[in-house]
Amino acid sequence: MGRLAAFVRDLVHGRAGDAAACAARARRLGVELPARARVVRLRAAAADPGVVERALDLLRTRLPRRALAARDGVEIVIICSPDEQELLGIDLAWLGPDGAGMTGGAGEDAPGAEALAASHVQAGRAIRLGRGLRGDGVVHRYADLEAYDALLT
């Protein structure tokens, strides 16, 4: 999992290189980047590494293929298709007691691997805005909050 987790973190932080380099690295790891990929971030209410690890394990069992998911500090980052995001659901209670205190944000679809960093930023903004407007325990979509974001920036 270490090399896959490093790849996921490199993708969402814009360090993975161009499309060809990303595709080659994905092949070496035995994974495939979704054609319509987006970033979903899940943040724990408390900075408890155990909560994050348990939630990551549960998440990997819910996704149908080898999940492009990794722990990134106090967050879980996931690179997924819109269909895979639907499998996560909106309500995060399945991640543990009281949703394990998790709140999520989903960025918009990225047109290529190089654009996943922008989707990652959007997902973070969706968490911050969504928590303030709608509360914890759910996945907030940036597309639903983009107008609020524009007003605040």
Side-chain angles (χ1 to χ4, degrees), residues 31-45:
V31 295
E32 186 176 329
L33 292 171
R36 291 181 53 216
R38 62 178 57 168
V39 175
V40 175
R41 294 167 68 172
L42 303 176
R43 186 176 298 157

Side-chain angles (χ1 to χ4, degrees), residues 13-139:
H13 292 293
R15 302 184 302 243
D18 63 13
C22 292
R25 192 167 169 193
R27 272 192 308 278
R28 282 193 307 275
L29 293 170
V31 295
E32 186 176 329
L33 292 171
R36 291 181 53 216
R38 62 178 57 168
V39 175
V40 175
R41 294 167 68 172
L42 303 176
R43 186 176 298 157
D48 180 353
V51 168
V52 174
E53 288 299 325
R54 283 188 298 278
L56 185 57
D57 288 342
L58 287 169
L59 173 79
R60 286 184 176 130
T61 63
R62 183 164 280 206
L63 294 175
R65 60 179 177 82
R66 189 171 179 200
L68 290 169
R71 182 173 169 205
D72 190 21
V74 297
E75 291 185 344
I76 296 170
V77 292
I78 309 152
I79 298 169
C80 63
S81 69
D83 292 338
E84 290 168 328
Q85 183 186 339
E86 291 298 318
L87 292 174
L88 299 177
I90 294 172
D91 183 353
L92 297 173
W94 64 272
L95 286 172
D98 299 321
M102 303 295 279
T103 299
E108 295 184 3
D109 288 355
E114 299 98 334
L116 287 168
S119 183
H120 180 261
V121 170
Q122 291 170 343
R125 295 181 77 78
I127 291 173
R128 286 188 296 281
L129 289 166
R131 266 189 173 153
L133 292 168
R134 299 181 184 134
D136 291 326
V138 297
V139 177

